[in-house]
């Protein structure tokens, strides 16, 4: 049974930092690209950052490029999102997601349908 469990969310002031983590189990984590999405109240879920199964490629939404950094540890089955210079616009529930297909090459998918396993989300609130 695939499980993705996010942690690390919370309340932070604008300009601050948070580090989100996602612990994966129930599948061959090292074979799958992973991504972070977020969903703000009243808005659609959107891609934030992704990393290929072999660490060779990362991809970021323009809104977070230069501020957020995604990484993974295939020995610990975890993927993390370091978020710096946070703004109130980053307030959302953040979700970890696993690629639909193993060993996908090239750029990480950015569409919801590219991923078929999701965590329950962790809430990030950035106060001004």
């Amino acid at each position: 049974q695939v499980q993705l469990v996010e942690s690390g969310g919370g309340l932070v002031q604008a300009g601050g930092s948070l580090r989100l983590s996602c612990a994966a189990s129930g599948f061959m984590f090292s074979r799958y690209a992973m991504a972070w999405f977020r969903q703000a109240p009243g808005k659609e879920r959107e891609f934030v950052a992704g990393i290929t199964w072999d660490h060779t490629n990362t991809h970021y939404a323009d809104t977070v490029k230069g501020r957020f950094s995604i990484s993974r540890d295939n020995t610990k089955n975890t993927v993390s999102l370091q978020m710096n210079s946070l703004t109130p616009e980053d307030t959302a529930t953040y979700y970890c997601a696993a690629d639909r297909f193993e060993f996908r090459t090239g750029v990480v998918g950015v569409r919801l349908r590219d991923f078929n396993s999701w965590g329950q989300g962790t809430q990030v609130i950035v106060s001004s």
Side-chain angles (χ1 to χ4, degrees):
Q1 180 181 354
V2 174
Q3 275 199 315
L4 299 172
V5 180
E6 301 96 336
S7 61
L11 174 65
V12 63
Q13 287 189 330
S17 299
L18 279 176
R19 185 175 181 84
L20 306 183
S21 293
C22 172
S25 61
F27 67 107
M28 294 296 291
F29 176 81
S30 62
R31 297 181 179 184
Y32 292 85
M34 298 295 295
W36 288 92
F37 285 74
R38 68 186 181 186
Q39 188 166 17
K43 295 188 177 182
E44 294 185 349
R45 192 170 298 190
E46 64 176 6
F47 173 83
V48 175
I51 186 167
T52 51
W53 61 275
D54 58 357
H55 306 247
T56 56
N57 280 311
T58 57
H59 184 60
Y60 298 91
D62 288 343
T63 52
V64 307
K65 202 171 294 184
R67 301 187 298 121
F68 290 13
S69 178
I70 188 171
S71 60
R72 65 187 295 160
D73 186 336
N74 286 350
T75 66
K76 297 181 179 179
N77 288 1
T78 58
V79 58
S80 299
L81 185 68
Q82 178 66 42
M83 306 186 297
N84 299 325
S85 302
L86 286 161
T87 74
E89 288 68 37
D90 296 315
T91 294
T93 298
Y94 285 71
Y95 298 90
C96 172
D99 198 337
R100 181 176 299 277
F101 300 110
E102 61 181 4
F103 299 130
R104 189 195 297 265
T105 58
V107 180
V108 178
V110 299
R111 303 167 299 181
L112 292 175
R113 62 178 181 269
D114 291 324
F115 301 86
N116 66 345
S117 296
W118 297 84
Q120 83 290 347
T122 185
Q123 191 171 30
V124 172
I125 300 173
V126 184
S127 63
S128 57

